[in-house]
Amino acid sequence: ILPAIIVSKTMELQVLEGAATQNKIQTWGMSFAQLFTILPEADKMGFLPKDMGTSGEIHYTIGLGFSIVLIAGILLIGMALWNKRVEGFTRKMGVSLFVLTVLSMYMSTYYFPWEIIAERIPMLSSLVATIQYPVRLQSVTILLLSCLFIWEYNALNSMLEGKAALIVRALLCIITVLGASITSGYFIYSVTTQMGHIYIQDEKCMGNGIIINGEYLPLGTDISQLRYNSFSYNGDEIEISYTRHDMGRVTVNVTETLKDARVEVPLLYYPGYVAKATDLSGHSQKLSLTKGENNVVQIKVPQGFKGNIGVWYEEPILWRVTEVISIVVLGWLIYANKRKNHLRNPKM
């Protein structure tokens, strides 16, 4: 969480400055029918505007399995409200999970007033902008439906007794898994039989399609000008014999630096990149980095340098410290929970 907060507060990103598709966030939502598609097909577009309809769009459905969980939730919550054997906390938990599930599903559709919220509540406009596509709320929906399934499984134990509880719980599990398998299985079948193939022969044909609209690039970046292995420098200032870009790590071999030079490498400028130069005698030094043309990393190479230059991303120490804190807190929570259970049930 901390890295995301720091980057969003210190950088001008397109998604935070209104330069991406989030300006029309509501039009990228789903219809209610798409939420409950049983057999989704894969050979379609991921997102289409509302006015283009849904016939050519992938249905980001909860599938048959979770539709069963939703229907079972309605029935079991109704039974729990009237069954005195079910504890008050259990009833409240079931109702809360169901309401949150339905709300998250509603928020993933184009019926939810995203644009009105962004216009009338300025404090929330940036939050709405970072969501971009309402369908992303489906990840929350699936998490909540999973929790709702667990609640149903446990609630049945309170409503029924003996073999009846065992049989009904087993049926719920079997039907849910079977439904999920039908939906996901058909989608995988569609992927393998209907979708075409993309062949990548080398890095030159990789392209930049995965960047999509460049929402998380520095503001003002021209996507069409980005190349995986594009190095730029002035031949009158520096002579370079070898360059390499390997999974975000860049290497440059310099044979001669006639004057103070600048070399642009195929990495976008984000805080955290470092450049280390090692000359022919083995002496190392850090080089200064700046933002070059089209927001790529630019290295300042001093006159007379000969040797290798490496550029890579190096996380701040603060991030590592907070990771350790997170691990310690997680360990403490696990210990505290086990100790609490032991005090309640000493024999366990």
Side-chain angles (χ1 to χ4, degrees):
I1 297 174
L2 182 67
I5 294 173
I6 292 176
V7 171
S8 64
K9 294 299 182 182
T10 56
M11 289 193 67
E12 291 184 333
L13 301 177
Q14 300 204 73
V15 69
L16 301 176
E17 300 295 332
T21 57
Q22 76 279 359
N23 289 329
K24 297 180 180 180
I25 180 173
Q26 195 158 342
T27 192
W28 301 96
M30 298 185 296
S31 67
F32 282 131
Q34 287 177 283
L35 286 171
F36 301 100
T37 302
I38 295 176
L39 302 175
E41 297 181 352
D43 62 332
K44 297 184 177 182
M45 295 294 292
F47 300 101
L48 291 176
K50 178 177 64 175
D51 53 8
M52 293 183 66
T54 61
S55 60
E57 184 178 22
I58 291 178
H59 295 178
Y60 290 90
T61 173
I62 64 173
L64 179 59
F66 280 120
S67 296
I68 293 170
V69 172
L70 195 65
I71 295 171
I74 297 174
L75 298 175
L76 293 178
I77 289 172
M79 293 172 61
L81 293 175
W82 294 100
N83 194 323
K84 294 182 179 180
R85 294 179 56 189
V86 179
E87 297 179 356
F89 175 79
T90 302
R91 289 196 295 266
K92 291 178 182 178
M93 179 62 71
V95 172
S96 299
L97 284 172
F98 184 82
V99 170
L100 290 173
T101 299
V102 173
L103 178 60
S104 67
M105 293 174 66
Y106 175 44
M107 292 173 72
S108 67
T109 68
Y110 52 65
Y111 306 108
F112 189 79
W114 286 111
E115 293 177 5
I116 294 176
I117 293 174
E119 292 173 3
R120 297 185 180 181
I121 310 177
M123 293 180 61
L124 296 179
S125 60
S126 295
L127 177 61
V128 172
T130 56
I131 293 174
Q132 297 179 270
Y133 303 108
V135 70
R136 288 176 171 168
L137 271 296
Q138 281 291 75
S139 58
V140 179
T141 299
I142 297 303
L143 176 62
L144 289 170
L145 281 168
S146 299
C147 293
L148 183 61
F149 172 77
I150 295 171
W151 177 87
E152 293 169 4
Y153 185 84
N154 287 287
L156 282 169
N157 203 40
S158 300
M159 298 178 192
L160 304 173
E161 296 180 353
K163 291 185 178 180
L166 183 63
I167 293 172
V168 175
R169 291 165 79 180
L171 285 174
L172 177 64
C173 292
I174 293 171
I175 294 173
T176 301
V177 172
L178 180 62
S181 299
I182 290 173
T183 297
S184 59
Y186 183 83
F187 184 79
I188 294 173
Y189 168 78
S190 179
V191 168
T192 56
T193 60
Q194 298 177 10
M195 292 188 69
H197 299 83
I198 298 175
Y199 295 96
I200 299 177
Q201 306 296 340
D202 53 40
E203 61 188 32
K204 293 181 180 179
C205 65
M206 287 181 67
N208 51 37
I210 195 63
I211 299 176
I212 310 178
N213 293 295
E215 293 90 338
Y216 295 96
L217 301 186
L219 189 64
T221 303
D222 184 353
I223 301 175
S224 64
Q225 298 301 314
L226 298 177
R227 296 290 182 272
Y228 182 79
N229 204 24
S230 176
F231 292 78
S232 178
Y233 55 91
N234 188 338
D236 295 331
E237 298 176 348
I238 187 171
E239 294 180 4
I240 295 176
S241 62
Y242 173 81
T243 60
R244 179 176 176 80
H245 180 191
D246 184 18
M247 301 297 289
R249 188 181 183 95
V250 165
T251 303
V252 179
N253 181 264
V254 180
T255 56
E256 189 71 50
T257 307
L258 305 174
K259 59 179 72 174
D260 289 347
R262 297 174 185 269
V263 179
E264 293 183 350
V265 302
L267 296 170
L268 281 168
Y269 185 83
Y270 293 97
Y273 275 108
V274 296
K276 188 176 181 180
T278 305
D279 60 23
L280 298 179
S281 65
H283 174 71
S284 298
Q285 63 174 319
K286 284 192 174 183
L287 300 181
S288 175
L289 296 179
T290 58
K291 187 184 297 183
E293 186 74 20
N294 201 32
N295 293 317
V296 299
V297 171
Q298 184 181 82
I299 314 168
K300 294 182 179 180
V301 186
Q303 182 178 355
F305 175 79
K306 299 179 183 180
N308 288 316
I309 300 174
V311 185
W312 64 88
Y313 191 85
E314 194 171 272
E315 300 83 354
I317 296 178
L318 177 61
W319 295 8
R320 295 303 181 212
V321 172
T322 52
E323 286 175 351
V324 172
I325 293 174
S326 298
I327 293 174
V328 171
V329 171
L330 176 62
W332 178 83
L333 289 173
I334 294 174
Y335 168 76
N337 183 62
K338 287 186 175 181
R339 180 176 174 78
K340 183 178 179 181
N341 291 333
H342 177 72
L343 292 174
R344 285 182 175 178
N345 304 288
K347 295 183 180 180
M348 293 181 62

